[in-house]
Amino acid sequence: MQTTTNRPELRLMKNVSEKQKKLIAEAYVETRERIITYIANRINDRAEAEDLTQDVFVRLLEYGAAVSPATVTGLIYTVARNITFDYLRHNYCRAEAEACISDRLSESVDSDESEIIARDIEALELRFVSKLPNKRQTVYRLSRFNGMSAADIAAYHTLSIRTVENHLHLARTEIRGRMSRLLCV
């Protein structure tokens, strides 16, 4: 069995006189629906507004001596406004954090996915290059993967520039055609 000191709601009630408890209970009965509507109109969630309305009246119990017949209505709406602002601020911050995390995750996923796709396409390209005739394969690899110009390849293999350009044209056409058929591009 819990003692009074272990239950915060009972400690709250000890600081409030019987007259104040009765006043808060009456205010609850009279204003509950209006407070729910007041909060629901601001947060667009009736169920959450009902929970926040409960919090309003719990908070009134915390005020103790400040609750009197003259102040109870003003306190209810002030507390309702503050609780609503706190709720909206919390949800706004949570939404901002979720959006930031979502953006970072999608960038990461997009980046990772793009890398995987690029590697798959490159592996596919290498497979097609390996099916080219030897001389065309060599010329294509030197141009595509080593960044050599047609003139450099021609000088390296003692070929004419026109022959190298012809090999590159035929290799690119064949690889592009195979890739297009396979990838349905």
Side-chain angles (χ1 to χ4, degrees):
M1 180 176 169
Q2 288 187 331
T3 64
T4 303
T5 56
N6 293 338
R7 295 185 54 201
E9 68 276 8
L10 292 180
R11 276 185 289 166
L12 260 175
M13 298 295 282
K14 281 182 115 180
N15 297 333
V16 180
S17 71
E18 287 303 315
K19 185 177 173 185
Q20 289 167 324
K21 288 177 193 174
K22 184 177 178 189
L23 179 63
I24 292 170
E26 289 171 358
Y28 177 80
V29 170
E30 291 173 19
T31 62
R32 179 180 178 274
E33 279 304 315
R34 285 183 290 178
I35 298 302
I36 291 172
T37 302
Y38 172 84
I39 295 172
N41 286 339
R42 283 152 183 80
I43 67 170
N44 298 320
D45 184 347
R46 178 140 178 108
E48 195 66 37
E50 289 176 7
D51 289 343
L52 294 175
T53 299
Q54 293 294 328
D55 292 345
V56 168
F57 288 95
V58 169
R59 184 91 43 96
L60 280 181
L61 291 172
E62 293 173 359
Y63 289 144
V67 180
S68 70
T71 62
V72 71
T73 304
L75 277 173
I76 290 172
Y77 280 96
T78 299
V79 170
R81 182 193 67 215
N82 292 342
I83 285 177
T84 302
F85 286 160
D86 290 346
Y87 173 84
L88 292 172
R89 189 178 313 112
H90 173 75
N91 281 348
Y92 176 77
C93 291
R94 183 176 0 149
E96 285 289 313
E98 287 173 358
C100 181
I101 290 169
S102 175
D103 288 347
R104 288 196 178 161
L105 283 177
S106 69
E107 287 171 5
S108 174
V109 168
D110 289 347
S111 166
D112 292 344
E113 188 175 324
S114 295
E115 286 180 33
I116 291 168
I117 291 170
R119 276 184 281 179
D120 288 348
I121 291 172
E122 185 177 2
L124 195 60
E125 179 186 16
L126 289 171
R127 194 173 87 204
F128 292 146
V129 168
S130 69
K131 294 180 181 184
L132 294 172
N134 286 339
K135 191 56 107 174
R136 198 173 297 162
Q137 191 179 129
T138 302
V139 168
Y140 184 84
R141 286 180 189 273
L142 290 173
S143 173
R144 172 81 169 92
F145 301 113
N146 294 357
M148 292 176 72
S149 68
D152 292 338
I153 296 169
Y156 183 74
H157 284 287
T158 61
L159 298 169
S160 72
I161 293 175
R162 185 73 185 126
T163 301
V164 171
E165 288 173 345
N166 190 40
H167 280 303
L168 284 173
H169 172 72
L170 292 172
R172 287 176 182 148
T173 302
E174 187 173 338
I175 290 171
R176 205 174 293 128
R178 287 181 180 207
M179 299 275 279
S180 294
R181 283 191 298 278
L182 189 67
L183 298 175
C184 301
V185 179

